[in-house]
Amino acid sequence: TSTAAAAAAAAAAAAAKAMSNVKAAATVLTEYGHRSTLHGLSHMFQSGDLWRKAFWLVLTFAASGACVYHIYATVSNYLESPITSIYRDEGPQALFPGVTICNLKPVSEALLHAEEEKAALFHHLDQVWNFFDNWLFGLRSRKHSETRVEYKERQRELLKTYTDIFWVSDDTREFGLSDRHTLLMCLYKNKHCNASNFKLVQHHRYWNCYTFQPLDGDRTIDNSDQDSGLRLILFTDSNFDSNRLDDSVNYLRSMTREDEITNPYSLRTYLGRGNRTLNQVLTGNKWEAEGLRIFIHNESQFPTTSDIAFDVSSGASTTIEVNTKQVNTLNRPPSHVCNAEEPETISYVRYFGPNVTGLRSYRLTQPEAVMEAQQKMIFDKCGCYTHLLPFKFNTSLLCLYADPQHRIHPSMEFMQRLACHTNSFKLAEQKTSELLQQKDEYKPCTSWKLQATKVQVPWPRSDELIDFVNYVFMPSYIAELQNEDQVMHLLKSRNSRAEAIIRHLFNPDCRKENGTDAPLVDSWCISRAKLKANVAQIWIKPASTHAGVYMEEYSYDWPEALSEVGGIFGLWMGISLLSVMEFIELLCILMSVCTSRDAGKRSSNVGSAAASRNRMPQDFEAILRYLASLEDEEMREPVRQLQYQRQQPQQQQQPQQQQQLNSARAAREPSG
């Protein structure tokens, strides 16, 4: 019984304490409502009329809902586009881009079209390589299930493999495009330039390419008028053919299906009886035009990796206008990652030959990092590197390099490397998209992007053709004939390149009116058709002296976000920083009240604070009485009205208070 009584007493004490805490909390909330800077809340607590309280309650809830929706819309808009893109036309000083010139026909037609040079080429291929007759013999035969078109496509790819092995293993620099004989005129920023401004870059598809580099390194763009940029007149060395098509057709008609199965094509028959050139083999199954390919790239970028390339036809004048843009992006991992620091450098082989390797440093950005990863994949699989991507090692480490003692009869080790290279390179190409995502950290936050457009018209004009031959074309080659040493290329030809070019441009039935002593500049002996098929004019000009600027900025930074949120709360609910601090103070007081051991005392303290607030009207009455005693009539009249308004509720309350007092007295008196 005593235990039950004690438990009941404890429960009653706990209930009393809880009730005391509730009363104290209610008192605190009432006090907070009266003095809060939240306009809707203070109006609810201070309004004496029930309808006014209801009005402010509904209005406060409606404003709260509108505030929540406004914040939700703002946050959603930010999440959809957290970055703001800004573009300005006028930015920093633009720099002249890198320009690399490649020939779509890698091997010089002038050297290989004549019988002497052709015989020298065949002799080298026969003595050193045996025309690759012992290489991949089983793949040369036509299969019974193949159509003629399918067989021709597979055959061209096989012959292209032979020439790739030849390019990797031999010194082919003297076969391809020659800067001295290609450059007929050069003007940079309206000043003369020459072959020393062009640096050799070898490539498996184009063999010899040349990158323009100002001697003083001046790439600033002073203006964008007619004197700006780089002007070139080039000898393309593309076309000296006459009856080659007829000879090829006759040979193709002589080959039957049985011949292609039992006695298939070889490189020897393709170049000999088929009357083809190495250029036809080097293009593989790609049907490309005659002329040049111009790569526009950043100066620190490996040239042939640029995605801006234009084909320039022979017999045409081409204008390429380049627009430079600086791109500044934000590092926003993990969706967008970039490197804010200066990129590292990597050295690639620019040209190579026996015991010669020329290197040049380039910026290690995302494309280069991907190519390095692909090279590593191939090396890990095959123990060698591919020639189809830029490489930084000697050619002896390339998969298609054949030792001199194994060029007639390939070694088993080489054949295994060749098969491994073919499969591994295809796999590495398939991994390109995945590697691009993995190498995001190599993408610079600040980069230079190039945009270019091309306009091409026929050239040279018929009325200027004679002057062009006399004053531009022939003087260049006369100087070469007088000063040029014998070309010591792989074929060891006795003729110079300039002599071979001029010899093929002359009409075979040329008759000089002035006899055999006529000067060499007699333009009437030049074949106009062959000349137009082997010259091109190029003008690479900047679009503006300043680069455009693309910038990324966050849609909100911290001050703007704080101002935006504060403006929304202030618009709909009148909340400011002070209101937030008041709410924090309220939470602290509530925690203090609820955790206090003497809740009643805490409640009385809060109640005394409320009582002091209720005494404020008495002080206000004193202030009104003082103002009414002033002599200023303009001040006294409004004060009297305020006194009258405050006295009316009191007069109405006095009868009610007297009636309540009388009822209490009657209840205390004993009944009759």
Side-chain angles (χ1 to χ4, degrees):
T1 304
S2 61
T3 304
K17 182 178 180 181
M19 183 60 66
S20 177
N21 288 339
V22 170
K23 291 181 179 180
T27 305
V28 171
L29 290 175
T30 303
E31 172 68 15
Y32 174 75
H34 280 88
R35 63 182 178 84
S36 174
T37 57
L38 296 178
H39 305 304
L41 189 62
S42 62
H43 279 78
M44 279 192 298
F45 278 91
Q46 294 179 8
S47 297
D49 190 356
L50 182 62
W51 289 104
R52 290 180 62 192
K53 288 181 179 290
F55 169 76
W56 283 108
L57 178 64
V58 173
L59 187 62
T60 300
F61 275 104
S64 301
C67 180
V68 171
Y69 177 78
H70 195 165
I71 292 177
Y72 170 77
T74 302
V75 173
S76 299
N77 186 36
Y78 170 76
L79 294 177
E80 289 178 0
S81 56
I83 301 300
T84 301
S85 300
I86 302 173
Y87 183 78
R88 297 202 314 263
D89 290 332
E90 293 293 330
Q93 177 78 32
L95 299 178
F96 192 76
V99 178
T100 298
I101 303 169
C102 303
N103 201 321
L104 291 172
K105 285 188 171 181
V107 182
S108 170
E109 288 283 331
L111 284 178
L112 300 181
H113 193 72
E115 291 300 324
E116 184 178 357
E117 284 81 6
K118 184 176 178 179
L121 170 65
F122 280 22
H123 178 75
H124 177 79
L125 290 174
D126 187 27
Q127 294 297 315
V128 178
W129 297 94
N130 194 30
F131 276 99
F132 293 90
D133 286 346
N134 301 319
W135 293 70
L136 304 171
F137 179 80
L139 299 178
R140 295 211 304 266
S141 300
R142 179 178 174 180
K143 300 177 182 179
H144 290 278
S145 59
E146 281 184 322
T147 64
R148 192 183 189 97
V149 174
E150 293 172 344
Y151 172 58
K152 292 298 180 184
E153 290 179 351
R154 187 169 60 83
Q155 179 202 46
R156 288 173 71 101
E157 288 296 330
L158 178 61
L159 297 179
K160 177 66 168 60
T161 302
Y162 292 160
T163 54
D164 282 352
I165 297 172
F166 176 51
W167 178 77
V168 170
S169 306
D170 253 329
D171 185 5
T172 60
R173 285 176 293 172
E174 293 294 342
F175 274 112
L177 189 68
S178 169
D179 54 348
R180 291 186 303 169
H181 305 95
T182 299
L183 193 63
L184 300 179
M185 189 201 75
C186 177
L187 288 175
Y188 175 63
K189 298 171 69 169
N190 207 28
K191 296 180 181 179
H192 286 282
C193 46
N194 51 46
S196 61
N197 293 97
F198 292 84
K199 306 303 179 183
L200 174 64
V201 178
Q202 288 184 275
H203 187 267
H204 68 94
R205 166 60 186 87
Y206 311 104
W207 285 23
N208 288 359
C209 298
Y210 290 92
T211 299
F212 174 75
Q213 291 184 350
L215 288 179
D216 55 359
D218 181 17
R219 293 187 176 272
T220 58
I221 299 176
D222 302 326
N223 55 68
S224 56
D225 57 15
Q226 297 295 318
D227 296 331
S228 64
L230 178 65
R231 288 182 178 270
L232 302 170
I233 296 180
L234 303 175
F235 179 73
T236 61
D237 199 356
S238 297
N239 189 345
F240 297 97
D241 289 333
S242 55
N243 60 347
R244 185 177 298 278
L245 180 61
D246 297 334
D247 295 339
S248 300
V249 170
N250 292 333
Y251 171 67
L252 289 174
R253 289 175 178 173
S254 66
M255 291 288 290
T256 64
R257 180 185 181 89
E258 288 71 20
D259 292 335
E260 294 173 345
I261 294 175
T262 59
N263 188 23
Y265 285 101
S266 67
L267 187 61
R268 187 191 306 271
T269 55
Y270 194 84
L271 297 176
R273 291 170 56 194
N275 199 22
R276 310 293 180 91
T277 67
L278 273 177
N279 288 320
Q280 292 171 284
V281 178
L282 289 168
T283 55
N285 286 314
K286 297 179 181 179
W287 307 96
E288 294 183 341
E290 291 180 341
L292 305 171
R293 181 160 291 169
I294 310 298
F295 289 92
I296 307 297
H297 54 89
N298 290 318
E299 191 272 336
S300 58
Q301 178 185 9
F302 192 80
T304 54
T305 60
S306 173
D307 55 357
I308 303 178
F310 295 102
D311 288 349
V312 175
S313 301
S314 300
S317 177
T318 304
T319 300
I320 300 175
E321 187 175 73
V322 183
N323 190 17
T324 307
K325 179 171 62 176
Q326 186 187 55
V327 178
N328 301 299
T329 57
L330 295 173
N331 185 20
R332 297 178 281 111
S335 60
H336 183 277
V337 180
C338 64
N339 183 15
E341 300 179 357
E342 185 68 20
E344 301 176 5
T345 59
I346 185 172
S347 297
Y348 284 134
V349 173
R350 189 165 56 88
Y351 64 87
F352 58 88
N355 302 320
V356 176
T357 301
L359 298 174
R360 189 190 170 187
S361 296
Y362 301 92
R363 295 178 66 186
L364 181 58
T365 57
Q366 188 184 30
E368 286 76 16
V370 170
M371 291 186 293
E372 283 298 293
Q374 291 173 328
Q375 287 280 28
K376 186 178 183 303
M377 290 174 58
I378 297 173
F379 182 82
D380 292 342
K381 188 72 174 178
C382 306
C384 55
Y385 300 96
T386 180
H387 66 290
L388 301 176
L389 297 173
F391 52 91
K392 54 184 180 181
F393 304 99
N394 190 276
T395 53
S396 61
L397 295 177
L398 298 180
C399 295
L400 268 64
Y401 178 81
D403 295 329
Q405 62 270 24
H406 295 128
R407 293 182 179 178
I408 293 180
H409 296 282
S411 64
M412 183 61 65
E413 178 187 359
F414 178 86
M415 301 306 294
Q416 293 174 352
R417 287 206 318 268
L418 179 61
C420 179
H421 169 267
T422 302
N423 297 328
S424 299
F425 182 74
K426 290 180 180 179
L427 180 61
E429 279 190 317
Q430 296 173 1
K431 295 284 187 179
T432 300
S433 299
E434 180 181 342
L435 290 173
L436 283 172
Q437 297 178 358
Q438 295 177 3
K439 302 299 180 181
D440 272 347
E441 68 271 14
Y442 289 95
K443 186 186 301 181
C445 294
T446 300
S447 60
W448 296 86
K449 301 296 183 183
L450 302 175
Q451 295 176 335
T453 56
K454 183 189 80 168
V455 177
Q456 188 168 280
V457 296
W459 178 87
R461 285 168 25 189
S462 299
D463 59 341
E464 291 187 345
L465 190 59
I466 296 176
D467 290 340
F468 171 74
V469 172
N470 288 336
Y471 303 125
V472 177
F473 185 82
M474 291 305 299
S476 300
Y477 287 102
I478 290 174
E480 290 291 338
L481 286 172
Q482 293 173 350
N483 302 321
E484 185 183 56
D485 295 330
Q486 179 177 327
V487 177
M488 298 302 294
H489 54 74
L490 197 64
L491 303 179
K492 303 296 188 295
S493 172
R494 295 191 300 271
N495 299 315
S496 70
R497 179 78 67 92
E499 182 182 350
I501 291 171
I502 294 176
R503 178 155 38 93
H504 294 308
L505 286 177
F506 274 111
N507 285 318
D509 56 349
C510 179
R511 297 290 184 269
K512 298 180 181 180
E513 298 179 358
N514 298 328
T516 57
D517 295 332
L520 189 60
V521 294
D522 185 359
S523 61
W524 296 108
C525 286
I526 295 289
S527 170
R528 299 186 184 187
K530 289 184 178 181
L531 181 65
K532 283 190 173 183
N534 289 279
V535 292
Q537 179 174 249
I538 303 172
W539 180 24
I540 302 171
K541 67 180 295 290
S544 174
T545 57
H546 288 78
V549 179
Y550 169 86
M551 295 184 297
E552 288 185 351
E553 294 181 352
Y554 288 107
S555 299
Y556 293 100
D557 53 16
W558 284 110
E560 290 178 343
L562 186 61
S563 300
E564 183 79 13
V565 174
I568 294 174
F569 277 106
L571 172 66
W572 294 107
M573 303 191 65
I575 296 178
S576 64
L577 181 61
L578 294 179
S579 303
V580 175
M581 299 305 297
E582 286 180 357
F583 184 74
I584 295 175
E585 180 189 24
L586 172 65
L587 294 179
C588 294
I589 294 175
L590 287 175
M591 291 179 61
S592 177
V593 168
C594 295
T595 58
S596 175
R597 294 183 178 180
D598 191 356
K601 183 178 180 181
R602 174 64 64 181
S603 177
S604 64
N605 292 337
V606 175
S608 63
S612 64
R613 179 182 59 81
N614 294 329
R615 287 195 298 269
M616 291 178 61
Q618 298 178 6
D619 299 335
F620 183 66
E621 293 292 342
I623 294 173
L624 289 178
R625 286 195 299 272
Y626 170 74
L627 292 175
S629 65
L630 297 177
E631 297 180 357
D632 190 351
E633 291 294 334
E634 294 182 358
M635 178 67 71
R636 292 165 60 183
E637 184 61 27
V639 171
R640 289 172 181 173
Q641 293 179 2
L642 287 174
Q643 287 178 331
Y644 176 77
Q645 292 175 1
R646 292 181 60 82
Q647 290 173 359
Q648 289 299 321
Q650 295 177 1
Q651 294 175 359
Q652 294 175 1
Q653 291 178 359
Q654 287 178 357
Q656 297 177 359
Q657 293 175 356
Q658 185 65 35
Q659 183 179 359
Q660 293 176 358
L661 181 61
N662 294 334
S663 299
R665 289 176 179 174
R668 288 196 299 266
E669 294 178 356
S671 59

